[in-house]
Amino acid sequence: MNWIVFDYGDVLSRRTAALPKLAATLGVEAGRLEEHYWALREPYDRGCGDLEYWQSVGKALGVEVDEAKSEELTSIDVEGWSHLEPSSAELLDALGEAGAALALLSNAPSSFGRWARAQDWARHFRVTLFSGDLGCVKPDERIYRILLDRLGAAPADCLFFDDRKSNVDAAVALGIRAHVWDGADAAKAALG
């Protein structure tokens, strides 16, 4: 079986527009939040809890974050990543209707994974893997090995799309056919 594997953020979805709202919720300027939002994200994507992540961001900004504030921030953050690119949604629909074997491999916290699996578009995916559930992130070789194991596939049986060259390079090093995402039209061309 040939698998088509997609990343989520900045591939299927639009880039989050939630940073200003997150910053306002924390009472800081968006520019101050953005630096820490990204710099502290990897442990969150590796599986640390929502409260731990938001408290680390809050600590870096000098802002207290309790459980209620963490839940509010998590909700805003998930919503910010919830908007599929229309052209990506159309591609998913077309591939799903054609019976393609689709998988999702995303660096994202477990809370986002729970939300994503409940969305209508998730029905197109036979397998959905989120780094927060796996304890490792792309481009770590382990996450690709977990993917291949869950798919029951050889590397050459997979075509992988990701927006980050480092993630694509790591996949290619294992023998996975992979492309840097350049939009749905380019993906269609790569799919032949």
Side-chain angles (χ1 to χ4, degrees):
M1 176 181 294
N2 287 319
W3 288 87
I4 305 166
V5 183
F6 291 95
D7 177 35
Y8 180 79
D10 295 328
V11 172
L12 298 180
S13 77
R14 296 178 180 158
R15 188 160 191 82
T16 184
L19 293 178
K21 188 172 182 181
L22 290 167
T25 302
L26 287 165
V28 299
E29 294 175 10
R32 284 191 63 219
L33 169 67
E34 185 168 7
E35 173 188 351
H36 302 294
Y37 176 91
W38 293 115
L40 300 169
R41 195 77 178 186
E42 187 172 317
Y44 194 27
D45 287 346
R46 280 186 190 278
C48 87
D50 300 329
L51 181 60
E52 184 180 347
Y53 171 66
W54 291 113
Q55 284 182 333
S56 70
V57 171
K59 182 178 179 183
L61 294 166
V63 176
E64 287 286 324
V65 176
D66 61 13
E67 185 72 42
K69 183 69 72 179
S70 170
E71 289 176 11
E72 181 181 8
L73 293 164
T74 300
S75 177
I76 294 166
D77 192 40
V78 168
E79 198 285 327
W81 287 105
S82 70
H83 305 282
L84 288 189
E85 278 289 343
S87 60
S88 296
E90 288 172 17
L91 177 61
L92 278 185
D93 287 341
L95 290 170
E97 288 170 15
L102 303 180
L104 181 65
L105 179 64
S106 179
N107 283 353
S110 296
S111 53
F112 181 82
R114 287 189 297 276
W115 172 86
R117 288 184 182 105
Q119 302 311 300
D120 182 60
W121 53 260
R123 76 186 188 286
H124 295 306
F125 292 98
R126 297 181 189 185
V127 174
T128 56
L129 298 174
F130 294 91
S131 61
D133 299 328
L134 304 175
C136 55
V137 296
K138 296 175 287 180
D140 188 322
E141 178 181 319
R142 290 178 298 159
I143 201 165
Y144 299 102
R145 296 219 179 269
I146 292 168
L147 170 71
L148 294 170
D149 183 57
R150 297 275 176 95
L151 300 181
D157 295 332
C158 299
L159 177 60
F160 174 55
F161 295 100
D162 195 291
D163 62 302
R164 294 189 179 177
K165 187 174 183 326
S166 59
N167 295 342
V168 168
D169 290 347
V172 169
L174 287 175
I176 296 171
R177 295 174 294 133
H179 295 274
V180 174
W181 182 258
D182 192 26
D185 288 339
K188 288 176 196 172
L191 289 164

